[in-house]
Amino acid sequence: MGRPTKPILSRGRICATALAIVDRDGLTELSMRRLARELGVQVSSLYEHVKTKDDVLHEVANTIMEDVDVSGFETGDWRHGVASWARSYRAALAAHPQIVPFLAYGPARREASLRRADAIHGGLVGAGWPPRYATLIGASTKYLVVGSAMSSFAGGFEDDVQVYVERYPHLAGAHRLRGRAGVIDRDSFELALEMFLDGLTALHARVTAPQKPAGS
């Protein structure tokens, strides 16, 4: 029998299978042995395409970050840029919450992450933000988004009313939160983002205001 005309493995197929494992079973359940088994190959075959499990995870993270839209910064409106980036970033992470802890460490050498970081920083500096503030805004937005994507506030409450009655009178309606977790978590993120942007708008006015001559 001749060799197959198409390779059994590719980085794309490895990445997709690894992401499926993480989405389904969690980050700690991904191993090179488990990945090889699900791909139907020997572990040694994987090493022809990827070096380590971290190499696989960076490939997966790069794929996820490709879905994050930073084109809003091209308009020159930094507030719109931050808002659209934050919403797109949250959506991309929320689709794959199990891998968020890995993504939270930073861009490393991932091409997709670094291209977006470059566009965000350039867009903010181009809109008048000093470079230091542009860095701080990028970091602060990441904290807001990653915190929102990693866990659900509303989903953390029990839906048994008996947990709250009598002992926690101010939480009388808390048993309803889990059933509305999607809406509550989305609206909470939007509230935090709006307040964050309002604060930045006030700060932007101060840092871009013309400096008065000394002694005037």
Side-chain angles (χ1 to χ4, degrees), residues 61-210:
N62 204 61
T63 299
I64 292 171
M65 291 305 295
E66 289 283 4
D67 290 333
V68 177
D69 181 15
V70 295
S71 63
F73 288 96
E74 296 172 4
T75 67
D77 181 346
W78 68 265
R79 182 175 175 126
H80 168 67
V82 172
S84 59
W85 163 47
R87 292 183 180 115
S88 176
Y89 191 11
R90 179 175 182 264
L93 298 189
H96 306 284
Q98 300 275 29
I99 202 171
V100 172
F102 182 83
L103 278 164
Y105 284 113
R109 298 186 180 187
R110 293 191 296 271
E111 175 67 19
S113 296
L114 291 172
R115 283 202 313 270
R116 279 151 183 78
D118 185 66
I120 292 161
H121 192 83
L124 290 169
V125 171
W129 285 102
R132 181 175 183 274
Y133 278 106
T135 299
L136 298 179
I137 292 167
S140 299
T141 306
K142 175 186 171 181
Y143 300 150
L144 176 62
V145 169
V146 170
S148 173
M150 282 187 76
S151 63
S152 167
F153 172 80
F157 287 85
E158 291 292 330
D159 55 10
D160 181 358
V161 68
Q162 295 303 318
V163 173
Y164 309 101
V165 294
E166 296 182 0
R167 293 188 63 192
Y168 309 105
H170 300 296
L171 297 178
H175 64 287
R176 302 188 186 96
L177 293 176
R178 178 179 287 187
R180 302 185 62 235
V183 172
I184 292 170
D185 293 340
R186 180 201 65 205
D187 291 351
S188 298
F189 172 76
E190 287 295 328
L191 174 63
L193 179 60
E194 182 181 358
M195 295 301 98
F196 176 57
L197 291 170
D198 285 350
L200 288 180
T201 298
L203 178 62
H204 186 262
R206 294 200 301 272
V207 300
T208 59

